mmCIF file of all heavy atoms in Angstrom:
data_model
loop_
_atom_site.group_PDB
_atom_site.id
_atom_site.type_symbol
_atom_site.label_atom_id
_atom_site.label_comp_id
_atom_site.label_asym_id
_atom_site.label_seq_id
_atom_site.Cartn_x
_atom_site.Cartn_y
_atom_site.Cartn_z
ATOM 1 N N VAL A 1347 147.233 56.801 -86.891
ATOM 2 C CA VAL A 1347 148.377 56.475 -87.754
ATOM 3 C C VAL A 1347 149.247 55.378 -87.161
ATOM 4 O O VAL A 1347 150.230 54.959 -87.770
ATOM 5 C CB VAL A 1347 149.239 57.727 -88.074
ATOM 6 C CG1 VAL A 1347 148.445 58.735 -88.871
ATOM 7 C CG2 VAL A 1347 149.806 58.356 -86.826
ATOM 8 N N GLY A 1348 148.883 54.904 -85.972
ATOM 9 C CA GLY A 1348 149.570 53.762 -85.383
ATOM 10 C C GLY A 1348 150.779 54.088 -84.536
ATOM 11 O O GLY A 1348 151.515 53.201 -84.130
ATOM 12 N N ILE A 1349 151.009 55.366 -84.239
ATOM 13 C CA ILE A 1349 152.151 55.756 -83.408
ATOM 14 C C ILE A 1349 151.864 55.473 -81.934
ATOM 15 O O ILE A 1349 152.751 55.125 -81.175
ATOM 16 C CB ILE A 1349 152.494 57.245 -83.636
ATOM 17 C CG1 ILE A 1349 152.993 57.431 -85.065
ATOM 18 C CG2 ILE A 1349 153.516 57.742 -82.629
ATOM 19 C CD1 ILE A 1349 153.238 58.866 -85.450
ATOM 20 N N LEU A 1350 150.612 55.604 -81.541
ATOM 21 C CA LEU A 1350 150.192 55.398 -80.159
ATOM 22 C C LEU A 1350 149.356 54.111 -80.103
ATOM 23 O O LEU A 1350 148.150 54.139 -80.270
ATOM 24 C CB LEU A 1350 149.356 56.595 -79.696
ATOM 25 C CG LEU A 1350 149.316 56.916 -78.228
ATOM 26 C CD1 LEU A 1350 150.686 57.366 -77.744
ATOM 27 C CD2 LEU A 1350 148.311 57.989 -77.953
ATOM 28 N N PRO A 1351 150.014 52.976 -79.867
ATOM 29 C CA PRO A 1351 149.283 51.698 -79.891
ATOM 30 C C PRO A 1351 148.533 51.425 -78.592
ATOM 31 O O PRO A 1351 148.643 52.175 -77.637
ATOM 32 C CB PRO A 1351 150.410 50.678 -80.080
ATOM 33 C CG PRO A 1351 151.594 51.304 -79.430
ATOM 34 C CD PRO A 1351 151.436 52.787 -79.643
ATOM 35 N N GLY A 1352 147.789 50.332 -78.575
ATOM 36 C CA GLY A 1352 147.136 49.892 -77.361
ATOM 37 C C GLY A 1352 145.677 50.259 -77.267
ATOM 38 O O GLY A 1352 145.107 50.263 -76.179
ATOM 39 N N SER A 1353 145.054 50.568 -78.380
ATOM 40 C CA SER A 1353 143.656 50.952 -78.381
ATOM 41 C C SER A 1353 142.979 50.344 -79.598
ATOM 42 O O SER A 1353 143.645 50.012 -80.583
ATOM 43 C CB SER A 1353 143.543 52.477 -78.423
ATOM 44 O OG SER A 1353 142.220 52.878 -78.673
ATOM 45 N N VAL A 1354 141.663 50.231 -79.541
ATOM 46 C CA VAL A 1354 140.935 49.758 -80.721
ATOM 47 C C VAL A 1354 140.990 50.789 -81.839
ATOM 48 O O VAL A 1354 140.699 50.476 -82.990
ATOM 49 C CB VAL A 1354 139.458 49.406 -80.386
ATOM 50 C CG1 VAL A 1354 139.388 48.250 -79.429
ATOM 51 C CG2 VAL A 1354 138.731 50.607 -79.826
ATOM 52 N N MET A 1355 141.373 52.008 -81.503
ATOM 53 C CA MET A 1355 141.494 53.076 -82.504
ATOM 54 C C MET A 1355 142.848 53.040 -83.214
ATOM 55 O O MET A 1355 143.025 53.698 -84.234
ATOM 56 C CB MET A 1355 141.313 54.437 -81.824
ATOM 57 C CG MET A 1355 139.940 54.630 -81.233
ATOM 58 S SD MET A 1355 139.803 55.993 -80.053
ATOM 59 C CE MET A 1355 140.380 57.364 -80.951
ATOM 60 N N SER A 1356 143.781 52.274 -82.707
ATOM 61 C CA SER A 1356 145.132 52.228 -83.272
ATOM 62 C C SER A 1356 145.115 51.624 -84.671
ATOM 63 O O SER A 1356 144.585 50.540 -84.886
ATOM 64 C CB SER A 1356 146.059 51.410 -82.372
ATOM 65 O OG SER A 1356 146.187 52.040 -81.128
ATOM 66 N N GLY A 1357 145.689 52.352 -85.594
ATOM 67 C CA GLY A 1357 145.811 51.884 -86.957
ATOM 68 C C GLY A 1357 144.541 51.999 -87.791
ATOM 69 O O GLY A 1357 144.487 51.517 -88.906
ATOM 70 N N VAL A 1358 143.516 52.672 -87.273
ATOM 71 C CA VAL A 1358 142.257 52.844 -87.995
ATOM 72 C C VAL A 1358 142.285 54.201 -88.704
ATOM 73 O O VAL A 1358 142.437 55.243 -88.076
ATOM 74 C CB VAL A 1358 141.039 52.755 -87.039
ATOM 75 C CG1 VAL A 1358 139.749 52.965 -87.798
ATOM 76 C CG2 VAL A 1358 141.039 51.410 -86.327
ATOM 77 N N THR A 1359 142.130 54.167 -90.016
ATOM 78 C CA THR A 1359 142.240 55.383 -90.830
ATOM 79 C C THR A 1359 141.239 56.454 -90.430
ATOM 80 O O THR A 1359 141.542 57.644 -90.522
ATOM 81 C CB THR A 1359 142.057 55.025 -92.321
ATOM 82 O OG1 THR A 1359 142.975 53.986 -92.651
ATOM 83 C CG2 THR A 1359 142.307 56.212 -93.208
ATOM 84 N N LEU A 1360 140.057 56.061 -89.997
ATOM 85 C CA LEU A 1360 139.034 57.034 -89.606
ATOM 86 C C LEU A 1360 139.583 58.014 -88.576
ATOM 87 O O LEU A 1360 139.366 59.226 -88.678
ATOM 88 C CB LEU A 1360 137.798 56.325 -89.041
ATOM 89 C CG LEU A 1360 136.737 57.229 -88.428
ATOM 90 C CD1 LEU A 1360 136.055 58.056 -89.512
ATOM 91 C CD2 LEU A 1360 135.731 56.423 -87.638
ATOM 92 N N TRP A 1361 140.316 57.510 -87.585
ATOM 93 C CA TRP A 1361 140.833 58.375 -86.527
ATOM 94 C C TRP A 1361 142.003 59.220 -87.007
ATOM 95 O O TRP A 1361 142.255 60.295 -86.451
ATOM 96 C CB TRP A 1361 141.194 57.560 -85.294
ATOM 97 C CG TRP A 1361 139.980 56.875 -84.774
ATOM 98 C CD1 TRP A 1361 139.719 55.540 -84.808
ATOM 99 C CD2 TRP A 1361 138.822 57.487 -84.226
ATOM 100 N NE1 TRP A 1361 138.475 55.290 -84.301
ATOM 101 C CE2 TRP A 1361 137.900 56.476 -83.928
ATOM 102 C CE3 TRP A 1361 138.479 58.799 -83.936
ATOM 103 C CZ2 TRP A 1361 136.655 56.740 -83.370
ATOM 104 C CZ3 TRP A 1361 137.233 59.053 -83.375
ATOM 105 C CH2 TRP A 1361 136.340 58.032 -83.096
ATOM 106 N N ALA A 1362 142.704 58.760 -88.031
ATOM 107 C CA ALA A 1362 143.771 59.560 -88.628
ATOM 108 C C ALA A 1362 143.194 60.740 -89.408
ATOM 109 O O ALA A 1362 143.889 61.721 -89.665
ATOM 110 C CB ALA A 1362 144.633 58.704 -89.542
ATOM 111 N N ILE A 1363 141.918 60.658 -89.779
ATOM 112 C CA ILE A 1363 141.244 61.746 -90.491
ATOM 113 C C ILE A 1363 140.485 62.648 -89.517
ATOM 114 O O ILE A 1363 140.570 63.874 -89.591
ATOM 115 C CB ILE A 1363 140.279 61.169 -91.547
ATOM 116 C CG1 ILE A 1363 141.081 60.426 -92.621
ATOM 117 C CG2 ILE A 1363 139.424 62.268 -92.169
ATOM 118 C CD1 ILE A 1363 140.229 59.596 -93.559
ATOM 119 N N VAL A 1364 139.754 62.038 -88.577
ATOM 120 C CA VAL A 1364 138.948 62.801 -87.629
ATOM 121 C C VAL A 1364 139.827 63.571 -86.640
ATOM 122 O O VAL A 1364 139.508 64.703 -86.270
ATOM 123 C CB VAL A 1364 137.965 61.867 -86.878
ATOM 124 C CG1 VAL A 1364 137.242 62.593 -85.770
ATOM 125 C CG2 VAL A 1364 136.971 61.253 -87.851
ATOM 126 N N GLY A 1365 140.926 62.981 -86.217
ATOM 127 C CA GLY A 1365 141.805 63.594 -85.234
ATOM 128 C C GLY A 1365 142.289 64.989 -85.608
ATOM 129 O O GLY A 1365 142.127 65.936 -84.822
ATOM 130 N N PRO A 1366 142.879 65.150 -86.800
ATOM 131 C CA PRO A 1366 143.334 66.500 -87.165
ATOM 132 C C PRO A 1366 142.202 67.513 -87.296
ATOM 133 O O PRO A 1366 142.377 68.688 -86.976
ATOM 134 C CB PRO A 1366 144.026 66.303 -88.519
ATOM 135 C CG PRO A 1366 144.347 64.861 -88.579
ATOM 136 C CD PRO A 1366 143.325 64.155 -87.754
ATOM 137 N N ILE A 1367 141.034 67.048 -87.720
ATOM 138 C CA ILE A 1367 139.886 67.957 -87.826
ATOM 139 C C ILE A 1367 139.498 68.461 -86.442
ATOM 140 O O ILE A 1367 139.294 69.667 -86.236
ATOM 141 C CB ILE A 1367 138.701 67.249 -88.520
ATOM 142 C CG1 ILE A 1367 139.057 66.939 -89.969
ATOM 143 C CG2 ILE A 1367 137.432 68.091 -88.437
ATOM 144 C CD1 ILE A 1367 138.077 66.012 -90.675
ATOM 145 N N VAL A 1368 139.425 67.564 -85.486
ATOM 146 C CA VAL A 1368 139.089 67.951 -84.109
ATOM 147 C C VAL A 1368 140.167 68.872 -83.540
ATOM 148 O O VAL A 1368 139.860 69.856 -82.871
ATOM 149 C CB VAL A 1368 138.889 66.698 -83.221
ATOM 150 C CG1 VAL A 1368 138.749 67.073 -81.752
ATOM 151 C CG2 VAL A 1368 137.674 65.908 -83.684
ATOM 152 N N ALA A 1369 141.429 68.570 -83.823
ATOM 153 C CA ALA A 1369 142.529 69.398 -83.324
ATOM 154 C C ALA A 1369 142.458 70.818 -83.899
ATOM 155 O O ALA A 1369 142.657 71.797 -83.167
ATOM 156 C CB ALA A 1369 143.873 68.753 -83.657
ATOM 157 N N VAL A 1370 142.145 70.934 -85.175
ATOM 158 C CA VAL A 1370 142.054 72.256 -85.807
ATOM 159 C C VAL A 1370 140.871 73.043 -85.231
ATOM 160 O O VAL A 1370 140.980 74.247 -84.975
ATOM 161 C CB VAL A 1370 141.962 72.124 -87.345
ATOM 162 C CG1 VAL A 1370 141.549 73.424 -87.994
ATOM 163 C CG2 VAL A 1370 143.282 71.641 -87.904
ATOM 164 N N VAL A 1371 139.752 72.371 -85.006
ATOM 165 C CA VAL A 1371 138.608 73.038 -84.380
ATOM 166 C C VAL A 1371 138.998 73.527 -82.983
ATOM 167 O O VAL A 1371 138.667 74.654 -82.597
ATOM 168 C CB VAL A 1371 137.388 72.098 -84.319
ATOM 169 C CG1 VAL A 1371 136.285 72.669 -83.442
ATOM 170 C CG2 VAL A 1371 136.848 71.824 -85.723
ATOM 171 N N GLY A 1372 139.715 72.694 -82.239
ATOM 172 C CA GLY A 1372 140.178 73.092 -80.913
ATOM 173 C C GLY A 1372 141.089 74.304 -80.960
ATOM 174 O O GLY A 1372 140.939 75.234 -80.164
ATOM 175 N N LEU A 1373 142.026 74.298 -81.884
ATOM 176 C CA LEU A 1373 142.924 75.448 -82.011
ATOM 177 C C LEU A 1373 142.166 76.702 -82.430
ATOM 178 O O LEU A 1373 142.494 77.816 -81.996
ATOM 179 C CB LEU A 1373 144.041 75.134 -83.006
ATOM 180 C CG LEU A 1373 145.037 74.072 -82.554
ATOM 181 C CD1 LEU A 1373 146.023 73.761 -83.685
ATOM 182 C CD2 LEU A 1373 145.769 74.512 -81.314
ATOM 183 N N GLY A 1374 141.145 76.528 -83.251
ATOM 184 C CA GLY A 1374 140.302 77.658 -83.634
ATOM 185 C C GLY A 1374 139.577 78.244 -82.431
ATOM 186 O O GLY A 1374 139.471 79.473 -82.289
ATOM 187 N N LEU A 1375 139.070 77.381 -81.558
ATOM 188 C CA LEU A 1375 138.413 77.862 -80.343
ATOM 189 C C LEU A 1375 139.392 78.593 -79.425
ATOM 190 O O LEU A 1375 139.038 79.618 -78.825
ATOM 191 C CB LEU A 1375 137.765 76.696 -79.590
ATOM 192 C CG LEU A 1375 136.489 76.126 -80.183
ATOM 193 C CD1 LEU A 1375 136.025 74.925 -79.364
ATOM 194 C CD2 LEU A 1375 135.404 77.164 -80.251
ATOM 195 N N VAL A 1376 140.605 78.079 -79.318
ATOM 196 C CA VAL A 1376 141.624 78.759 -78.517
ATOM 197 C C VAL A 1376 141.891 80.152 -79.089
ATOM 198 O O VAL A 1376 141.924 81.145 -78.363
ATOM 199 C CB VAL A 1376 142.934 77.937 -78.458
ATOM 200 C CG1 VAL A 1376 144.056 78.761 -77.846
ATOM 201 C CG2 VAL A 1376 142.721 76.656 -77.673
ATOM 202 N N GLY A 1377 142.068 80.229 -80.393
ATOM 203 C CA GLY A 1377 142.308 81.519 -81.037
ATOM 204 C C GLY A 1377 141.153 82.479 -80.850
ATOM 205 O O GLY A 1377 141.351 83.673 -80.585
ATOM 206 N N TRP A 1378 139.938 81.970 -80.974
ATOM 207 C CA TRP A 1378 138.749 82.792 -80.797
ATOM 208 C C TRP A 1378 138.648 83.291 -79.356
ATOM 209 O O TRP A 1378 138.338 84.463 -79.111
ATOM 210 C CB TRP A 1378 137.516 81.994 -81.188
ATOM 211 C CG TRP A 1378 136.237 82.783 -81.244
ATOM 212 C CD1 TRP A 1378 136.088 84.118 -81.501
ATOM 213 C CD2 TRP A 1378 134.925 82.273 -81.034
ATOM 214 N NE1 TRP A 1378 134.768 84.448 -81.470
ATOM 215 C CE2 TRP A 1378 134.031 83.339 -81.184
ATOM 216 C CE3 TRP A 1378 134.433 81.013 -80.738
ATOM 217 C CZ2 TRP A 1378 132.659 83.186 -81.045
ATOM 218 C CZ3 TRP A 1378 133.061 80.868 -80.606
ATOM 219 C CH2 TRP A 1378 132.190 81.933 -80.762
ATOM 220 N N GLY A 1379 138.922 82.415 -78.407
ATOM 221 C CA GLY A 1379 138.898 82.822 -77.003
ATOM 222 C C GLY A 1379 139.935 83.878 -76.682
ATOM 223 O O GLY A 1379 139.656 84.844 -75.961
ATOM 224 N N ILE A 1380 141.122 83.732 -77.240
ATOM 225 C CA ILE A 1380 142.187 84.725 -77.011
ATOM 226 C C ILE A 1380 141.820 86.046 -77.663
ATOM 227 O O ILE A 1380 142.011 87.112 -77.079
ATOM 228 C CB ILE A 1380 143.541 84.189 -77.517
ATOM 229 C CG1 ILE A 1380 144.008 83.042 -76.619
ATOM 230 C CG2 ILE A 1380 144.586 85.304 -77.574
ATOM 231 C CD1 ILE A 1380 145.226 82.304 -77.131
ATOM 232 N N ALA A 1381 141.262 86.004 -78.867
ATOM 233 C CA ALA A 1381 140.869 87.227 -79.555
ATOM 234 C C ALA A 1381 139.770 87.955 -78.784
ATOM 235 O O ALA A 1381 139.803 89.185 -78.662
ATOM 236 C CB ALA A 1381 140.399 86.901 -80.969
ATOM 237 N N ARG A 1382 138.816 87.214 -78.247
ATOM 238 C CA ARG A 1382 137.747 87.837 -77.470
ATOM 239 C C ARG A 1382 138.306 88.459 -76.193
ATOM 240 O O ARG A 1382 137.855 89.511 -75.745
ATOM 241 C CB ARG A 1382 136.679 86.807 -77.105
ATOM 242 C CG ARG A 1382 135.793 86.450 -78.269
ATOM 243 C CD ARG A 1382 134.754 85.469 -77.859
ATOM 244 N NE ARG A 1382 133.959 86.051 -76.764
ATOM 245 C CZ ARG A 1382 132.650 85.926 -76.647
ATOM 246 N NH1 ARG A 1382 131.998 85.242 -77.546
ATOM 247 N NH2 ARG A 1382 132.006 86.468 -75.642
ATOM 248 N N GLN A 1383 139.292 87.794 -75.602
ATOM 249 C CA GLN A 1383 139.894 88.306 -74.382
ATOM 250 C C GLN A 1383 140.637 89.611 -74.663
ATOM 251 O O GLN A 1383 140.550 90.558 -73.898
ATOM 252 C CB GLN A 1383 140.848 87.260 -73.805
ATOM 253 C CG GLN A 1383 141.331 87.557 -72.428
ATOM 254 C CD GLN A 1383 142.120 86.406 -71.845
ATOM 255 O OE1 GLN A 1383 142.571 85.535 -72.569
ATOM 256 N NE2 GLN A 1383 142.250 86.393 -70.554
ATOM 257 N N ARG A 1384 141.371 89.657 -75.758
ATOM 258 C CA ARG A 1384 142.118 90.872 -76.103
ATOM 259 C C ARG A 1384 141.166 92.012 -76.453
ATOM 260 O O ARG A 1384 141.437 93.155 -76.139
ATOM 261 C CB ARG A 1384 143.046 90.596 -77.278
ATOM 262 C CG ARG A 1384 144.244 89.793 -76.893
ATOM 263 C CD ARG A 1384 145.196 89.641 -78.044
ATOM 264 N NE ARG A 1384 146.336 88.824 -77.662
ATOM 265 C CZ ARG A 1384 147.172 88.308 -78.515
ATOM 266 N NH1 ARG A 1384 147.048 88.514 -79.798
ATOM 267 N NH2 ARG A 1384 148.183 87.569 -78.090
ATOM 268 N N ARG A 1385 140.079 91.685 -77.179
ATOM 269 C CA ARG A 1385 139.122 92.701 -77.575
ATOM 270 C C ARG A 1385 138.433 93.328 -76.361
ATOM 271 O O ARG A 1385 138.148 94.518 -76.346
ATOM 272 C CB ARG A 1385 138.070 92.088 -78.498
ATOM 273 C CG ARG A 1385 137.908 92.882 -79.760
ATOM 274 C CD ARG A 1385 136.880 92.308 -80.688
ATOM 275 N NE ARG A 1385 137.398 91.084 -81.309
ATOM 276 C CZ ARG A 1385 136.681 89.993 -81.528
ATOM 277 N NH1 ARG A 1385 135.426 89.936 -81.188
ATOM 278 N NH2 ARG A 1385 137.225 88.938 -82.093
ATOM 279 N N SER A 1386 138.159 92.515 -75.341
ATOM 280 C CA SER A 1386 137.468 93.053 -74.164
ATOM 281 C C SER A 1386 138.387 93.930 -73.322
ATOM 282 O O SER A 1386 137.913 94.756 -72.551
ATOM 283 C CB SER A 1386 136.914 91.910 -73.314
ATOM 284 O OG SER A 1386 137.953 91.150 -72.740
#
């Protein structure tokens, strides 16, 4: 989205779309790991 300049990725819409998807997958893994830890 252009907030963090200085890269070839800056201002490229593809990364504004892929970034949140990767972040949500990461948060899902964190949640899954915590749930498995509590279950054990």
Side-chain angles (χ1 to χ4, degrees):
V1347 296
I1349 294 175
L1350 206 66
S1353 169
V1354 295
M1355 296 164 55
S1356 296
V1358 179
T1359 306
L1360 172 69
W1361 299 110
I1363 295 169
V1364 173
I1367 294 169
V1368 171
V1370 167
V1371 169
L1373 292 175
L1375 286 177
V1376 170
W1378 188 28
I1380 291 172
R1382 285 181 59 140
Q1383 191 172 18
R1384 285 185 181 166
R1385 231 180 287 140
S1386 67

